[in-house]
């Protein structure tokens, strides 16, 4: 109801006034904790900033968890970059700082592509193939079991957890239909003849630190105005066939080195900063703010060309629905929740 009223109220207003009214409405809505426009998910005047490094995994635990073998039963190959490839007779897993990539067999990649690059992001309308109510029927106990396994292997602290953000559970028959449709579009040419599970489940998680989400892969991308290393999303993806793990992708998992507390800007202050930036830009783009939320972003050392993250820094993420040349897309601005700087400029 609020959103319908909001869109109706703003309809027909010129863009400059529309931006100002949007900011006014968002500021009012931010006061309510149940607002669909703003989520001020911090209830204190200070926030923690973390010095971090990429997680160094215990490859013995990884071997036992994913390959279900003792380390001495596996072939461990060291790479020049310090990564490991751990092989059993049936499968292999790649382990590096911050990264675990496991695929039970060659077919896993194709199923991951369908689930995580087409179906879950909505690039293909799954309603053409199956009732929408059956797409996200992942059992809570199943979700909890996977979370516990990953949090154990990543050695999470008490203030860290995973949160399921999207999932799908689909039959082999449905996924075959999807792959055939993509083949017609000329997008993918997937061989489904050797798929041996009757049901496949894809789960994607975001990482929470102090209850605040860390920027993940499902969020709108961030544009940059400088030639600098971009902030990299952190996420966990899991693929199961008939309830058994067949694929795991852990990306940019970090570990805390030190922490300090600092005062934080409010969401209203962040919106005011963005309003001033928008007023200074002459553009044919029109847009409406859909959501504002507090999140952590993994920041690299911008004085070097090394992309490894060194800090977990809070930003107000302002998500916008933009229209340009008749095309609509979702984008985001991230305002530093400490300094008010714009992530697009490496601030």
């Amino acid at each position: 109801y609020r959103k319908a009223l909001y869109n109706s109220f703003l309809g027909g207003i010129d863009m400059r006034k529309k931006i100002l009214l949007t900011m006014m409405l968002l500021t009012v809505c931010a006061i309510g904790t149940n607002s669909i426009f703003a989520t001020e998910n911090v209830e204190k005047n200070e926030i923690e900033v973390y010095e971090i490094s990429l997680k160094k995994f215990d490859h013995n635990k990884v071997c036992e968890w994913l390959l279900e073998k003792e380390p001495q039963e596996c072939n461990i190959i060291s790479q020049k970059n310090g990564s490991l490839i751990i092989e059993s007779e049936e499968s292999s897993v790649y382990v590096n700082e911050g990264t675990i990539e496991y695929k039970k067999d060659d077919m896993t990649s194709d199923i991951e592509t369908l689930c995580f690059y087409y179906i879950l992001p909505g690039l293909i309308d799954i309603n053409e193939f199956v009732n929408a109510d059956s797409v996200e029927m992942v059992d809570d106990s199943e979700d909890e079991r996977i979370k516990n396994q990953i949090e154990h292997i990543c050695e999470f602290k008490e203030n860290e957890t995973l949160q399921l953000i999207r999932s799908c559970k689909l039959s082999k028959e449905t996924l075959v239909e999807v792959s055939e449709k993509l083949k017609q579009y000329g997008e993918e040419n997937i061989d489904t003849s050797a798929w041996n599970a009757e049901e496949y489940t894809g789960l994607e998680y975001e990482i929470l630190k102090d209850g605040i989400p860390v920027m993940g892969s499902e969020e709108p991308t961030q544009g940059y105005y400088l030639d600098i290393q971009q902030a990299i999303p952190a996420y966990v993806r899991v693929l199961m066939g008939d309830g058994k793990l067949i694929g795991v992708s852990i990306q940019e998992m970090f570990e805390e080195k030190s922490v300090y507390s600092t005062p934080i800007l409010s969401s209203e202050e962040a919106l005011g900063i963005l309003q001033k930036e928008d007023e200074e830009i002459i553009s044919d783009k029109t847009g409406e703010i859909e959501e504002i939320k507090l999140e952590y972003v993994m920041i690299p050392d911008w004085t070097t060309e090394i992309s490894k993250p060194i800090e977990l820094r809070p930003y107000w993420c302002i998500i916008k629905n933009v229209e340009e040349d008749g095309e609509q897309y979702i984008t985001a601005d991230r305002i530093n929740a400490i300094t008010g700087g714009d992530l697009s400029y490496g601030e």
Side-chain angles (χ1 to χ4, degrees):
Y1 170 76
R2 283 186 184 179
K3 194 164 187 178
L5 181 62
Y6 168 87
N7 289 336
S8 174
F9 176 64
L10 291 180
I13 301 174
D14 70 72
M15 187 55 199
R16 177 55 56 84
K17 292 180 180 179
K18 193 170 185 178
I19 290 175
L20 294 174
L21 286 168
T22 299
M23 295 297 178
M24 291 167 60
L25 285 171
L26 279 166
T27 300
V28 173
C29 289
I31 298 171
T33 56
N34 295 322
S35 169
I36 61 171
F37 298 109
T39 305
E40 189 159 350
N41 50 344
V42 61
E43 298 179 358
K44 53 185 180 179
N45 296 324
E46 290 193 338
I47 194 168
E48 283 66 47
V49 179
Y50 294 92
E51 180 188 2
I52 59 171
S53 60
L54 290 177
K55 177 72 182 175
K56 293 179 174 63
F57 293 102
D58 183 337
H59 72 272
N60 293 323
K61 289 183 179 180
V62 174
C63 188
E64 293 168 358
W65 172 44
L66 293 173
L67 302 182
E68 299 180 338
K69 300 279 187 182
E70 294 295 326
Q72 59 268 24
E73 299 178 87
C74 300
N75 180 30
I76 301 177
I77 306 169
S78 297
Q79 306 292 301
K80 289 182 179 180
N81 64 354
S83 64
L84 298 175
I85 297 175
I86 308 172
E87 299 177 328
S88 69
E89 293 179 359
E90 302 85 14
S91 308
S92 66
V93 57
Y94 171 84
V95 183
N96 200 358
E97 290 186 347
T99 300
I100 294 177
E101 284 283 357
Y102 165 69
K103 293 177 174 53
K104 183 172 177 59
D105 50 43
D106 293 339
M107 296 173 290
T108 303
S109 293
D110 290 334
I111 303 168
E112 284 179 334
T113 297
L114 293 178
C115 288
F116 298 115
Y117 294 96
Y118 286 100
I119 294 171
L120 288 179
L123 293 182
I124 191 164
D125 186 3
I126 195 63
N127 297 329
E128 294 181 27
F129 308 94
V130 66
N131 188 308
D133 293 335
S134 67
V135 174
E136 294 192 14
M137 293 178 60
V138 174
D139 187 82
D140 289 343
S141 61
E142 195 170 48
D143 166 34
E144 197 64 28
R145 175 174 63 88
I146 295 298
K147 279 172 56 177
N148 289 339
Q149 290 178 4
I150 294 170
E151 289 177 6
H152 172 71
I153 209 74
C154 294
E155 300 175 328
F156 271 21
K157 295 190 172 185
E158 289 185 359
N159 64 342
E160 298 169 342
T161 189
L162 292 176
Q163 179 168 278
L164 183 65
I165 52 171
R166 52 188 182 185
S167 62
C168 63
K169 180 179 283 189
L170 298 169
S171 68
K172 172 185 173 181
E173 180 182 19
T174 298
L175 286 173
V176 169
E177 289 183 38
V178 172
S179 66
E180 289 299 317
K181 177 69 76 171
L182 290 173
K183 191 182 295 185
Q184 293 176 19
Y185 294 157
E187 292 289 329
E188 300 284 345
N189 188 11
I190 296 173
D191 180 8
T192 62
S193 60
W195 292 3
N196 49 24
E198 294 303 314
E199 184 177 70
Y200 292 95
T201 304
L203 307 101
E204 183 163 342
Y205 295 90
E206 67 181 359
I207 303 165
L208 301 183
K209 184 76 169 176
D210 299 325
I212 299 170
V214 178
M215 185 182 74
S217 65
E218 87 293 347
E219 298 185 43
T221 56
Q222 176 77 37
Y224 287 83
Y225 299 115
L226 302 176
D227 185 17
I228 56 176
Q229 293 293 333
Q230 298 188 9
I232 303 173
Y235 60 89
V236 175
R237 289 173 178 161
V238 173
L239 184 67
M240 295 189 291
D242 291 338
K244 296 181 180 180
L245 281 175
I246 61 172
V248 173
S249 179
I250 298 175
Q251 298 296 329
E252 301 302 309
M253 189 60 67
F254 56 86
E255 54 189 7
E256 172 188 330
K257 296 174 67 178
S258 64
V259 59
Y260 67 91
S261 296
T262 185
I264 182 175
L265 300 175
S266 68
S267 58
E268 291 92 337
E269 289 173 309
L271 285 167
I273 292 168
L274 181 62
Q275 177 187 345
K276 290 180 180 178
E277 289 185 0
D278 286 344
E279 288 175 350
E280 295 172 358
I281 297 174
I282 300 175
S283 173
D284 293 331
K285 296 179 182 178
T286 61
E288 296 177 4
I289 297 175
E290 296 289 323
E291 180 186 6
I292 176 171
K293 63 178 181 178
L294 186 66
E295 68 178 10
Y296 277 117
V297 178
M298 294 171 58
I299 300 299
D301 184 351
W302 279 315
T303 64
T304 73
E305 296 182 358
I306 300 173
S307 61
K308 288 183 179 181
I310 60 170
E311 190 173 79
L312 202 59
R313 187 183 297 171
Y315 284 81
W316 284 109
C317 177
I318 301 162
I319 299 174
K320 298 188 289 188
N321 188 352
V322 176
E323 182 173 339
E324 184 177 20
D325 298 329
E327 298 289 331
Q328 285 193 334
Y329 57 93
I330 300 294
T331 186
D333 291 284
R334 291 177 173 87
I335 301 298
N336 190 312
I338 302 167
T339 66
D342 190 328
L343 180 59
S344 296
Y345 294 96
E347 300 174 344

